[in-house]
């Protein structure tokens, strides 16, 4: 066998070949580099998260206190929750029922709640007592309040109440409107026998009283649903139209967080605009808030509300200084209010615009 002898030159060549082979082995079988991947900033491999993918915005929690129990009378606010209008405005809104045990003006004035719904007259009365609340929108531009009687009574106008017994709800918008109607009709209040009533319709149905104060969108419907025909006596027949459900907040909140007040007001009006277009749909929303409601009655209530929310196609929610002045004059004339209040303190339309 021939013996192979390696010279220094041969050894150098072999070592060079080995180095080339080791260099080639530095790549894997797929031809991809085993080196550490380039950083995301190089733009050649992993991509950075898109700048638009921000963390969800935290919603601001606020409370809306209604003037009465949950029902379709407040469907626009429910719609603003259900359709996401408040959430779009950056708000998490809790809607709480009102009533005699939870008067909205006092609850909001205490600072524990941010917004409320009340009768427009209550804004004026609160201001006189030094409670700094301000109306930011009116919901029912035409009052739903009426007097009504069973048809068989024959009572169809205020003048027919002479010598008759009338139910009166004392201490609120209902009493004010009743007395203003009697005064406008030129009827002597002493010629009408008054009976203080609450919410049980039995005195009317039994004939104990001949006329009842209530909302055409609620009590009137309830009596009709029982199979009775009724005569309705409207305040507008006597030149009276006091704003009913009115959205309000405190002057302090308006000064502290006007953007939030604006966002809430406009989202609320968006809910009411939706309710106008979809009355039957929104009538069902109240059922999520109270388990004693009946869909048929709620739907009837909402349908009856539509013409009162935007009469003569007036802007939804917008208030008129003349209407507030007329209300104030009536309150003073009937002795409910002693001192005139400044209109700029009473209401503002700035958050509707």
């Amino acid at each position: 066998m021939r013996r192979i002898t390696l010279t220094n030159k041969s050894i150098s060549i072999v070592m060079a070949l080995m180095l080339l082979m080791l260099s080639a082995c530095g790549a894997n079988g797929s031809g991809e580099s085993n080196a550490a991947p380039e950083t995301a900033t190089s733009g050649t491999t992993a991509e950075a998260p898109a700048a638009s993918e921000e963390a969800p915005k935290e919603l601001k929690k606020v409370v809306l206190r209604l003037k009465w129990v949950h029902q379709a009378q407040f469907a626009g606010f429910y719609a603003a929750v259900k359709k996401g209008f408040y959430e779009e405005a950056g708000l998490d809104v809790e809607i709480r029922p009102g009533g005699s045990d939870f008067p909205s003006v006092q609850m909001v004035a205490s600072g524990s709640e941010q917004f409320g719904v009340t009768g427009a007259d209550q804004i004026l009365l609160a201001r006189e007592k030094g409670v700094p609340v301000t109306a930011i929108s009116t919901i029912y531009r035409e009052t739903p309040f009426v007097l009504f009687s069973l048809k068989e009574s024959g009572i169809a106008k205020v003048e027919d109440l002479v010598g008759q017994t009338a139910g009166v709800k004392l201490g609120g918008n209902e009493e004010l409107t009743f007395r203003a109607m009697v005064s406008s009709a030129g009827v002597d209040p002493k010629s009408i026998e008054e009976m203080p009533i609450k919410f049980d319709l039995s005195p009317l149905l039994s004939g104990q009283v001949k006329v009842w104060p209530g909302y055409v969108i609620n009590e009137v419907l309830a009596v009709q649903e029982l199979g009775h025909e009724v005569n309705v006596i409207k305040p507008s027949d006597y030149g009276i139209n006091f704003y009913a459900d009115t959205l309000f907040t405190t002057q302090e909140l308006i000064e502290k967080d006007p953007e939030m007040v604006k966002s809430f007001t406009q989202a609320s009006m968006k809910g009411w605009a939706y309710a106008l277009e979809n009355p039957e749909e929104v009538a069902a929303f109240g059922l999520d808030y109270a388990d004693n409601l009946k869909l048929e009655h709620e739907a009837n209530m909402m349908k009856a509300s539509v013409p009162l929310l935007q009469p003569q196609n007036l802007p939804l929610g917008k208030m008129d200084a003349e209407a507030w002045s007329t209300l104030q004059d009536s309150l003073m004339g009937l002795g409910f209010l002693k001192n005139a209040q400044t209109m700029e303190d009473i209401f503002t339309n700035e958050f509707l615009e």
Side-chain angles (χ1 to χ4, degrees):
M1 178 179 291
R2 184 179 176 180
R3 187 176 180 179
I4 299 175
T5 303
L6 295 176
T7 66
N8 289 338
K9 183 176 181 180
S10 299
I11 293 172
S12 297
I13 293 172
V14 170
M15 290 180 68
L17 289 171
M18 290 177 66
L19 286 172
L20 287 172
M21 291 175 66
L22 286 171
S23 176
C25 290
N28 59 30
S30 64
E32 296 177 352
S33 173
N34 283 334
E38 296 184 48
T39 62
T41 56
S42 70
T44 58
T45 53
E47 296 183 0
S52 61
E53 294 178 5
E54 299 177 355
K57 185 177 180 180
E58 185 176 353
L59 301 179
K60 185 173 293 186
K61 294 183 179 294
V62 298
V63 174
L64 169 65
R65 177 69 68 170
L66 304 178
K67 67 177 290 189
W68 192 233
V69 297
H70 288 298
Q71 55 187 10
Q73 179 179 342
F74 310 108
F77 298 115
Y78 305 147
V81 172
K82 195 80 169 179
K83 306 308 292 187
F85 301 146
Y86 286 134
E87 186 175 352
E88 291 171 3
L91 302 173
D92 177 8
V93 178
E94 178 186 353
I95 302 178
R96 297 175 181 172
S100 56
D101 292 333
F102 302 100
S104 58
V105 171
Q106 286 89 326
M107 302 301 288
V108 173
S110 71
S112 62
E113 299 175 0
Q114 290 72 39
F115 300 95
V117 179
T118 191
D121 60 308
Q122 297 302 307
I123 301 293
L124 285 157
L125 296 174
R127 272 287 179 174
E128 184 179 47
K129 295 175 183 176
V131 181
V133 290
T134 299
I136 53 178
S137 171
T138 187
I139 309 305
Y140 285 87
R141 287 185 58 103
E142 182 175 329
T143 180
F145 177 84
V146 296
L147 301 175
F148 68 101
S149 64
L150 298 182
K151 199 172 187 66
E152 60 262 28
S153 72
I155 296 174
K157 56 185 184 296
V158 173
E159 292 82 352
D160 296 334
L161 290 176
V162 174
Q164 302 290 344
T165 302
V168 180
K169 292 178 183 175
L170 300 174
N173 179 263
E174 292 90 348
E175 181 185 2
L176 168 66
T177 307
F178 167 75
R179 301 204 184 285
M181 291 172 70
V182 171
S183 177
S184 180
V187 172
D188 182 356
K190 296 179 181 179
S191 68
I192 303 172
E193 184 178 345
E194 297 181 4
M195 176 179 170
I197 53 136
K198 291 190 178 295
F199 311 106
D200 179 11
L201 290 164
S202 298
L204 174 70
L205 300 176
S206 67
Q208 190 177 2
V209 301
K210 297 299 183 182
V211 71
W212 196 267
Y215 273 21
V216 71
I217 63 172
N218 193 8
E219 289 93 339
V220 171
L221 294 176
V223 172
Q224 290 175 326
E225 288 164 3
L226 291 173
H228 298 278
E229 292 186 73
V230 300
N231 292 323
V232 173
I233 308 171
K234 297 182 179 179
S236 58
D237 294 338
Y238 298 87
I240 297 165
N241 181 39
F242 301 147
Y243 290 151
D245 295 10
T246 300
L247 183 63
F248 72 94
T249 188
T250 61
Q251 190 63 43
E252 180 182 1
L253 186 59
I254 288 175
E255 295 171 358
K256 180 181 177 182
D257 198 347
E259 285 304 313
M260 190 267 276
V261 174
K262 183 175 182 178
S263 296
F264 178 85
T265 305
Q266 296 196 353
S268 297
M269 291 303 100
K270 192 173 180 180
W272 278 106
Y274 187 89
L276 281 172
E277 296 295 326
N278 306 275
E280 293 192 25
E281 178 187 354
V282 301
F285 293 167
L287 275 63
D288 292 338
Y289 291 85
D291 56 12
N292 62 334
L293 301 179
K294 296 182 179 179
L295 182 57
E296 181 181 2
H297 179 75
E298 298 305 297
N300 290 337
M301 180 183 287
M302 190 59 220
K303 290 175 187 176
S305 296
V306 170
L308 308 177
L309 297 166
Q310 202 175 21
Q312 294 87 47
N313 290 319
L314 295 170
L316 188 62
K318 192 169 184 179
M319 296 169 285
D320 182 74
E322 184 177 352
W324 278 100
S325 294
T326 299
L327 172 58
Q328 178 162 261
D329 290 344
S330 295
L331 282 167
M332 295 184 72
L334 293 167
F336 285 83
L337 189 70
K338 294 181 180 179
N339 303 305
Q341 303 300 303
T342 304
M343 285 296 110
E344 289 76 10
D345 295 334
I346 297 303
F347 80 98
T348 178
N349 287 315
E350 65 176 300
F351 301 112
L352 292 167
E353 300 167 352

